[in-house]
Amino acid sequence: MSEYQLTPSRRAVLVAALGAGALLTGCDVEGSASTEPPPPDPDSALLAAVLARTLSLRTMLGETVAAHPSLAPTLSPFDLMHADHLALLGPVGDTSSASPSPAPSVPPAPRRALTRVQSAEGRHASWLRASAGEARSGRFARVLACMSAGVDQHLASAAAARVSP
């Protein structure tokens, strides 16, 4: 035997033990992996409802502007806001679980058409506020509250708009 024996230092033993532990916890014994699907998102139904309502509002806005082009400067900010909300809530075009409700016909008078849109947007803002309180995810609740505030802000701007009868 040699006069010099190599003995590992305490640090080397700790590093080796930690490394071995990390390797062992990363290993998977065949068949032990869970094949159960993850639990459904508790806010998925609420998200689908938000998407559907937002799509319905965009449909109503488009039909109203098509019938009354003079309302475009007042209503286009709502449409852009709703497009931003849809983009925030999910990938663009990923609205398969949401289908817009059919919009009622557009009133023939621009002022009445604007009032109809403002009423629908006001109901939407109130619904978003209430939905923020129902959301299970704090992050989703904050998004809904911010969406509601955005709608309220656009309503305040639209209230100042002057529309001829």
Side-chain angles (χ1 to χ4, degrees):
M1 276 211 179
S2 160
E3 179 176 293
Y4 298 102
Q5 285 192 335
L6 293 176
T7 58
S9 68
R10 189 169 37 164
R11 184 177 293 169
V13 171
L14 280 172
V15 169
L18 289 174
L23 287 174
L24 289 175
T25 58
C27 292
D28 188 18
V29 178
E30 192 170 323
S32 68
S34 174
T35 57
E36 294 179 27
D41 180 357
D43 288 326
S44 61
L46 182 56
L47 174 61
V50 171
L51 292 171
R53 290 177 71 105
T54 304
L55 287 170
S56 292
L57 285 168
R58 288 197 75 200
T59 300
M60 181 185 3
L61 288 163
E63 291 173 354
T64 303
V65 169
H68 304 288
S70 64
L71 294 177
T74 303
L75 298 181
S76 64
F78 285 99
D79 189 52
L80 293 171
M81 174 191 59
H82 292 312
D84 288 343
H85 290 170
L86 289 171
L88 176 69
L89 294 172
V92 176
D94 185 19
T95 54
S96 56
S97 63
S99 56
S101 305
S105 61
V106 178
R111 186 180 305 263
R112 290 193 59 151
L114 178 61
T115 300
R116 176 178 145 252
V117 169
Q118 289 172 319
S119 295
E121 292 287 353
R123 286 189 304 274
H124 185 59
S126 296
W127 182 82
L128 286 169
R129 270 191 300 283
S131 296
E134 296 172 13
R136 303 288 294 258
S137 161
R139 180 181 234 175
F140 187 45
R142 287 188 298 276
V143 167
L144 295 176
C146 288
M147 288 171 63
S148 173
V151 174
D152 283 335
Q153 188 175 31
H154 283 294
L155 280 170
S157 295
R162 295 179 189 206
V163 177
S164 58

